Amino acid sequence: YPFSEGFETQTVFEEKTTKLHNFTPVSDGMTVLPGYSQIDVNGHVNNTKYANYILDILSPAEDESVCAFQIDYRKEVLAGMPVTLFCTREDGEAFVKGVNSDGENMFLCKMTLK
């Protein structure tokens, strides 16, 4: 059988996205401690939970809406692994990163708000 049987092979995006770059935090972060309900069948934080973390630290205003959202997963986050989130905003864009206790970037996010 062909490897792609049963899978969608069309690309969603016309262009390949570029990887996000690290940034230096300018303020204290917010630490999250993933629990059982945030874990997928592989024992990692479910990818949809990262968006919750990001929106919690950004706390968009009522009149702001998300126009674009990119997240780069760098390392797997596991249950009970504390991750500190840092964010910065500039010119309608927000950048968030999650850092483990060893200082490693677990994920980076760029969000365009209007």
Side-chain angles (χ1 to χ4, degrees), residues 80-95:
M81 176 187 289
V83 176
T84 303
L85 286 82
F86 298 96
C87 70
T88 186
R89 288 178 177 233
E90 54 187 58
D91 300 327
E93 292 183 325
F95 299 89

Side-chain angles (χ1 to χ4, degrees), residues 57-93:
I57 194 168
L58 287 177
S59 293
E62 284 187 32
D63 62 344
E64 286 183 306
S65 59
V66 177
C67 299
F69 182 93
Q70 177 183 344
I71 186 165
D72 292 357
Y73 301 100
R74 300 292 171 91
K75 296 184 178 244
E76 298 160 336
V77 176
L78 308 173
M81 176 187 289
V83 176
T84 303
L85 286 82
F86 298 96
C87 70
T88 186
R89 288 178 177 233
E90 54 187 58
D91 300 327
E93 292 183 325

Side-chain angles (χ1 to χ4, degrees), residues 1 5 8 16 20 25 28 38 48 52 60 62 75 79 81-82 91-92 99 103 107-108 111:
Y1 297 108
E5 187 172 317
E8 181 61 49
K16 186 174 181 174
L20 298 174
D28 293 336
Q38 298 171 2
T48 61
N52 294 344
E62 284 187 32
K75 296 184 178 244
M81 176 187 289
D91 300 327
V99 179
F107 66 90
L108 293 154
M111 188 180 297

